[in-house]
Amino acid sequence: MQAPNPSPLDSARERFRADLVDAGLLIPTAVPGLYGRSGVLESIIDAVDARIRRAGAGAHGSTARVLRFPPVYPREAFDRTDYIASFPNLTGSVATFRGDDRAHAELLATRAEGGDWDHFLEPAGTMLVSAACHPAYPTLTGTLPEEGALLDVYGYCFRHEPAIDPARLQAFRMHEFVRVGTPEQARAHRESWLPRALSVLTELGLDAVAAPANDPFFGRAGRMLASNQRTAELKTELLVRLYGDLDEGTAVVSCNSHQDHFGSAFGIDTADGAVAHSACVGFGMERIALAMLRTHGLSVEHWPAPQRALLAVG
Ligand code: ATP
Ligand code: ZN
Ligand code: MG
């Protein structure tokens, strides 16, 4: 059977991906959505991050607590996030070999015959981080001070969503500013970051618009959650059109309200004894860099002067 023709949008994405690979910016692997990054791409990401950190300092001075986590965190904490209920299909878990010599010999014999050896591995007690903010919540269990908590988290995330679209990666970085506190503190955080994030994108020369959004909650029950999230305006995305009219827009930044989801999951209370609310703004680092390459061209020497200047100081 012949594969159906790709849509014009898919073809455009495939061309952009091929161009990025030909230019040496993305280094492909055998798995879709998993790439190495060139020095130039990393320098764009660093420059974007310098601009994001400047916006963070402008908003919060030096009050945001900087936290950097590895891309792997405890399964026990993962379980509390409820991610497995909402996004089982995006989840990544770490497995390892815990058997004895005999089991190892069996594994090697199976492997020598060309068989699958994955079933010899067992859960290692760790999961891949799905959103940069997730490993931060266990650090807040207990009662928050009056002013709540304000975190600056930056790290690699894993989501099993293999795609040709070079902007949909299985492993990518997210820089987040997270507020945990009263409902008002969480709301104010989200509201103040929307225009701030838009102005960061404008300075990067990106034409972004804000739009209400929802997460792709899994299954039939998930459709209800998604529609509730959209109606309650709990998620706003900043979208950049990478392919003109073909494209509804790619989310380069998301502002999310979690209400009391993480507060109740991780036992975080406000100073007045209520369950804490939280909100975060997440910058998709690779997506922003790719959006700049798409908008300004693949050779940074030919970028407009203001964006070249950002790279020079980044
Ligand atoms: P999308 O709707 O495109 O799937 P999302 O709603 O899942 O994005 P969030 O979970 O809010 O995204 O993550 C915050 C940011 O991380 C997004 O705005 C985006 O820039 C980036 N991001 C999310 N998923 C990916 C991915 N698979 N590859 C690269 N960047 C991503
Ligand atoms: Zn977050
Ligand atoms: Mg998604």
PDB file of all heavy atoms in Angstrom, residues 73-84 138 141 261-262 264-267:
ATOM      1  N   TYR A  73      14.681  11.951  37.461  1.00  0.00           N
ATOM      2  CA  TYR A  73      14.324  12.235  38.853  1.00  0.00           C
ATOM      3  C   TYR A  73      13.558  11.065  39.453  1.00  0.00           C
ATOM      4  O   TYR A  73      13.166  10.141  38.729  1.00  0.00           O
ATOM      5  CB  TYR A  73      13.617  13.576  38.966  1.00  0.00           C
ATOM      6  CG  TYR A  73      12.164  13.640  38.571  1.00  0.00           C
ATOM      7  CD1 TYR A  73      11.217  14.123  39.462  1.00  0.00           C
ATOM      8  CD2 TYR A  73      11.728  13.252  37.314  1.00  0.00           C
ATOM      9  CE1 TYR A  73       9.879  14.210  39.114  1.00  0.00           C
ATOM     10  CE2 TYR A  73      10.395  13.335  36.969  1.00  0.00           C
ATOM     11  CZ  TYR A  73       9.474  13.818  37.870  1.00  0.00           C
ATOM     12  OH  TYR A  73       8.167  13.897  37.531  1.00  0.00           O
ATOM     13  N   PRO A  74      13.327  11.081  40.773  1.00  0.00           N
ATOM     14  CA  PRO A  74      12.767   9.894  41.426  1.00  0.00           C
ATOM     15  C   PRO A  74      11.368   9.522  40.918  1.00  0.00           C
ATOM     16  O   PRO A  74      10.524  10.389  40.707  1.00  0.00           O
ATOM     17  CB  PRO A  74      12.687  10.307  42.903  1.00  0.00           C
ATOM     18  CG  PRO A  74      13.684  11.388  43.055  1.00  0.00           C
ATOM     19  CD  PRO A  74      13.702  12.122  41.753  1.00  0.00           C
ATOM     20  N   ARG A  75      11.154   8.238  40.771  1.00  0.00           N
ATOM     21  CA  ARG A  75       9.862   7.738  40.318  1.00  0.00           C
ATOM     22  C   ARG A  75       8.756   8.121  41.289  1.00  0.00           C
ATOM     23  O   ARG A  75       7.619   8.368  40.906  1.00  0.00           O
ATOM     24  CB  ARG A  75       9.928   6.214  40.200  1.00  0.00           C
ATOM     25  CG  ARG A  75       8.969   5.675  39.171  1.00  0.00           C
ATOM     26  CD  ARG A  75       8.624   4.256  39.483  1.00  0.00           C
ATOM     27  NE  ARG A  75       7.431   4.247  40.283  1.00  0.00           N
ATOM     28  CZ  ARG A  75       6.304   3.654  39.939  1.00  0.00           C
ATOM     29  NH1 ARG A  75       6.230   2.991  38.841  1.00  0.00           N
ATOM     30  NH2 ARG A  75       5.254   3.715  40.715  1.00  0.00           N
ATOM     31  N   GLU A  76       9.117   8.163  42.576  1.00  0.00           N
ATOM     32  CA  GLU A  76       8.139   8.492  43.607  1.00  0.00           C
ATOM     33  C   GLU A  76       7.594   9.908  43.378  1.00  0.00           C
ATOM     34  O   GLU A  76       6.384  10.150  43.487  1.00  0.00           O
ATOM     35  CB  GLU A  76       8.815   8.347  44.975  1.00  0.00           C
ATOM     36  CG  GLU A  76       7.907   8.434  46.170  1.00  0.00           C
ATOM     37  CD  GLU A  76       7.809   9.839  46.723  1.00  0.00           C
ATOM     38  OE1 GLU A  76       8.767  10.625  46.524  1.00  0.00           O
ATOM     39  OE2 GLU A  76       6.764  10.149  47.314  1.00  0.00           O
ATOM     40  N   ALA A  77       8.470  10.838  43.016  1.00  0.00           N
ATOM     41  CA  ALA A  77       8.027  12.215  42.736  1.00  0.00           C
ATOM     42  C   ALA A  77       7.226  12.258  41.440  1.00  0.00           C
ATOM     43  O   ALA A  77       6.190  12.932  41.354  1.00  0.00           O
ATOM     44  CB  ALA A  77       9.237  13.145  42.661  1.00  0.00           C
ATOM     45  N   PHE A  78       7.707  11.530  40.427  1.00  0.00           N
ATOM     46  CA  PHE A  78       6.971  11.451  39.156  1.00  0.00           C
ATOM     47  C   PHE A  78       5.545  10.984  39.408  1.00  0.00           C
ATOM     48  O   PHE A  78       4.584  11.526  38.858  1.00  0.00           O
ATOM     49  CB  PHE A  78       7.677  10.487  38.199  1.00  0.00           C
ATOM     50  CG  PHE A  78       6.873  10.170  36.958  1.00  0.00           C
ATOM     51  CD1 PHE A  78       6.929  11.009  35.860  1.00  0.00           C
ATOM     52  CD2 PHE A  78       6.056   9.052  36.913  1.00  0.00           C
ATOM     53  CE1 PHE A  78       6.175  10.735  34.718  1.00  0.00           C
ATOM     54  CE2 PHE A  78       5.303   8.764  35.778  1.00  0.00           C
ATOM     55  CZ  PHE A  78       5.367   9.612  34.685  1.00  0.00           C
ATOM     56  N   ASP A  79       5.405   9.976  40.251  1.00  0.00           N
ATOM     57  CA  ASP A  79       4.087   9.394  40.525  1.00  0.00           C
ATOM     58  C   ASP A  79       3.149  10.448  41.108  1.00  0.00           C
ATOM     59  O   ASP A  79       1.976  10.518  40.758  1.00  0.00           O
ATOM     60  CB  ASP A  79       4.252   8.211  41.482  1.00  0.00           C
ATOM     61  CG  ASP A  79       3.090   7.249  41.348  1.00  0.00           C
ATOM     62  OD1 ASP A  79       2.404   7.285  40.305  1.00  0.00           O
ATOM     63  OD2 ASP A  79       2.868   6.469  42.290  1.00  0.00           O
ATOM     64  N   ARG A  80       3.695  11.298  41.973  1.00  0.00           N
ATOM     65  CA  ARG A  80       2.856  12.335  42.585  1.00  0.00           C
ATOM     66  C   ARG A  80       2.351  13.364  41.577  1.00  0.00           C
ATOM     67  O   ARG A  80       1.314  13.988  41.799  1.00  0.00           O
ATOM     68  CB  ARG A  80       3.634  13.071  43.670  1.00  0.00           C
ATOM     69  CG  ARG A  80       3.760  12.270  44.937  1.00  0.00           C
ATOM     70  CD  ARG A  80       4.653  13.007  45.907  1.00  0.00           C
ATOM     71  NE  ARG A  80       4.952  12.173  47.027  1.00  0.00           N
ATOM     72  CZ  ARG A  80       4.410  12.340  48.243  1.00  0.00           C
ATOM     73  NH1 ARG A  80       3.581  13.328  48.467  1.00  0.00           N
ATOM     74  NH2 ARG A  80       4.715  11.513  49.215  1.00  0.00           N
ATOM     75  N   THR A  81       3.110  13.586  40.492  1.00  0.00           N
ATOM     76  CA  THR A  81       2.661  14.592  39.512  1.00  0.00           C
ATOM     77  C   THR A  81       1.406  14.150  38.770  1.00  0.00           C
ATOM     78  O   THR A  81       0.755  14.969  38.131  1.00  0.00           O
ATOM     79  CB  THR A  81       3.737  14.872  38.428  1.00  0.00           C
ATOM     80  OG1 THR A  81       3.925  13.679  37.651  1.00  0.00           O
ATOM     81  CG2 THR A  81       5.051  15.324  39.034  1.00  0.00           C
ATOM     82  N   ASP A  82       1.083  12.845  38.797  1.00  0.00           N
ATOM     83  CA  ASP A  82      -0.062  12.309  38.047  1.00  0.00           C
ATOM     84  C   ASP A  82       0.158  12.314  36.537  1.00  0.00           C
ATOM     85  O   ASP A  82      -0.782  12.163  35.773  1.00  0.00           O
ATOM     86  CB  ASP A  82      -1.344  13.104  38.365  1.00  0.00           C
ATOM     87  CG  ASP A  82      -2.309  12.260  39.174  1.00  0.00           C
ATOM     88  OD1 ASP A  82      -1.944  11.122  39.521  1.00  0.00           O
ATOM     89  OD2 ASP A  82      -3.428  12.746  39.451  1.00  0.00           O
ATOM     90  N   TYR A  83       1.402  12.521  36.102  1.00  0.00           N
ATOM     91  CA  TYR A  83       1.693  12.579  34.661  1.00  0.00           C
ATOM     92  C   TYR A  83       1.266  11.281  33.968  1.00  0.00           C
ATOM     93  O   TYR A  83       0.783  11.303  32.834  1.00  0.00           O
ATOM     94  CB  TYR A  83       3.194  12.836  34.453  1.00  0.00           C
ATOM     95  CG  TYR A  83       3.551  13.396  33.091  1.00  0.00           C
ATOM     96  CD1 TYR A  83       3.414  14.757  32.817  1.00  0.00           C
ATOM     97  CD2 TYR A  83       4.029  12.564  32.078  1.00  0.00           C
ATOM     98  CE1 TYR A  83       3.743  15.272  31.570  1.00  0.00           C
ATOM     99  CE2 TYR A  83       4.363  13.081  30.836  1.00  0.00           C
ATOM    100  CZ  TYR A  83       4.216  14.428  30.581  1.00  0.00           C
ATOM    101  OH  TYR A  83       4.547  14.932  29.348  1.00  0.00           O
ATOM    102  N   ILE A  84       1.423  10.162  34.682  1.00  0.00           N
ATOM    103  CA  ILE A  84       1.102   8.862  34.076  1.00  0.00           C
ATOM    104  C   ILE A  84      -0.400   8.738  33.798  1.00  0.00           C
ATOM    105  O   ILE A  84      -0.816   8.002  32.905  1.00  0.00           O
ATOM    106  CB  ILE A  84       1.614   7.689  34.963  1.00  0.00           C
ATOM    107  CG1 ILE A  84       1.687   6.371  34.182  1.00  0.00           C
ATOM    108  CG2 ILE A  84       0.750   7.489  36.204  1.00  0.00           C
ATOM    109  CD1 ILE A  84       2.716   6.324  33.103  1.00  0.00           C
ATOM    110  N   PRO A 138       9.008  18.776  44.916  1.00  0.00           N
ATOM    111  CA  PRO A 138       9.323  18.076  46.177  1.00  0.00           C
ATOM    112  C   PRO A 138      10.197  18.900  47.120  1.00  0.00           C
ATOM    113  O   PRO A 138      10.209  18.643  48.327  1.00  0.00           O
ATOM    114  CB  PRO A 138      10.076  16.814  45.718  1.00  0.00           C
ATOM    115  CG  PRO A 138       9.702  16.615  44.295  1.00  0.00           C
ATOM    116  CD  PRO A 138       9.422  17.981  43.749  1.00  0.00           C
ATOM    117  N   THR A 141       7.822  20.979  49.760  1.00  0.00           N
ATOM    118  CA  THR A 141       6.879  20.353  50.685  1.00  0.00           C
ATOM    119  C   THR A 141       6.973  21.016  52.065  1.00  0.00           C
ATOM    120  O   THR A 141       8.079  21.236  52.567  1.00  0.00           O
ATOM    121  CB  THR A 141       7.176  18.841  50.798  1.00  0.00           C
ATOM    122  OG1 THR A 141       6.998  18.255  49.508  1.00  0.00           O
ATOM    123  CG2 THR A 141       6.241  18.158  51.788  1.00  0.00           C
ATOM    124  N   HIS A 261      -2.957  21.827  41.873  1.00  0.00           N
ATOM    125  CA  HIS A 261      -2.548  20.465  41.491  1.00  0.00           C
ATOM    126  C   HIS A 261      -1.240  20.033  42.178  1.00  0.00           C
ATOM    127  O   HIS A 261      -1.193  19.003  42.853  1.00  0.00           O
ATOM    128  CB  HIS A 261      -2.403  20.372  39.972  1.00  0.00           C
ATOM    129  CG  HIS A 261      -1.939  19.034  39.490  1.00  0.00           C
ATOM    130  ND1 HIS A 261      -2.787  17.952  39.432  1.00  0.00           N
ATOM    131  CD2 HIS A 261      -0.728  18.594  39.084  1.00  0.00           C
ATOM    132  CE1 HIS A 261      -2.103  16.896  39.010  1.00  0.00           C
ATOM    133  NE2 HIS A 261      -0.856  17.252  38.785  1.00  0.00           N
ATOM    134  N   PHE A 262      -0.176  20.830  42.003  1.00  0.00           N
ATOM    135  CA  PHE A 262       1.113  20.442  42.586  1.00  0.00           C
ATOM    136  C   PHE A 262       1.145  20.705  44.098  1.00  0.00           C
ATOM    137  O   PHE A 262       1.767  19.956  44.843  1.00  0.00           O
ATOM    138  CB  PHE A 262       2.268  21.151  41.880  1.00  0.00           C
ATOM    139  CG  PHE A 262       2.446  20.704  40.451  1.00  0.00           C
ATOM    140  CD1 PHE A 262       2.215  21.568  39.392  1.00  0.00           C
ATOM    141  CD2 PHE A 262       2.834  19.399  40.160  1.00  0.00           C
ATOM    142  CE1 PHE A 262       2.363  21.142  38.071  1.00  0.00           C
ATOM    143  CE2 PHE A 262       2.983  18.959  38.845  1.00  0.00           C
ATOM    144  CZ  PHE A 262       2.749  19.841  37.798  1.00  0.00           C
ATOM    145  N   SER A 264      -1.283  20.311  46.205  1.00  0.00           N
ATOM    146  CA  SER A 264      -1.884  19.202  46.944  1.00  0.00           C
ATOM    147  C   SER A 264      -1.090  17.915  46.745  1.00  0.00           C
ATOM    148  O   SER A 264      -0.933  17.134  47.675  1.00  0.00           O
ATOM    149  CB  SER A 264      -3.382  19.069  46.630  1.00  0.00           C
ATOM    150  OG  SER A 264      -3.565  18.350  45.463  1.00  0.00           O
ATOM    151  N   ALA A 265      -0.513  17.705  45.549  1.00  0.00           N
ATOM    152  CA  ALA A 265       0.259  16.474  45.314  1.00  0.00           C
ATOM    153  C   ALA A 265       1.523  16.421  46.181  1.00  0.00           C
ATOM    154  O   ALA A 265       1.947  15.345  46.595  1.00  0.00           O
ATOM    155  CB  ALA A 265       0.638  16.376  43.841  1.00  0.00           C
ATOM    156  N   PHE A 266       2.136  17.580  46.423  1.00  0.00           N
ATOM    157  CA  PHE A 266       3.415  17.593  47.141  1.00  0.00           C
ATOM    158  C   PHE A 266       3.304  18.182  48.548  1.00  0.00           C
ATOM    159  O   PHE A 266       4.326  18.461  49.182  1.00  0.00           O
ATOM    160  CB  PHE A 266       4.478  18.334  46.310  1.00  0.00           C
ATOM    161  CG  PHE A 266       4.879  17.556  45.075  1.00  0.00           C
ATOM    162  CD1 PHE A 266       4.269  17.803  43.856  1.00  0.00           C
ATOM    163  CD2 PHE A 266       5.829  16.543  45.152  1.00  0.00           C
ATOM    164  CE1 PHE A 266       4.605  17.057  42.724  1.00  0.00           C
ATOM    165  CE2 PHE A 266       6.178  15.793  44.036  1.00  0.00           C
ATOM    166  CZ  PHE A 266       5.558  16.048  42.809  1.00  0.00           C
ATOM    167  N   GLY A 267       2.071  18.363  49.033  1.00  0.00           N
ATOM    168  CA  GLY A 267       1.889  18.858  50.402  1.00  0.00           C
ATOM    169  C   GLY A 267       2.530  20.221  50.618  1.00  0.00           C
ATOM    170  O   GLY A 267       3.300  20.418  51.555  1.00  0.00           O
TER     171      GLY A 267
END
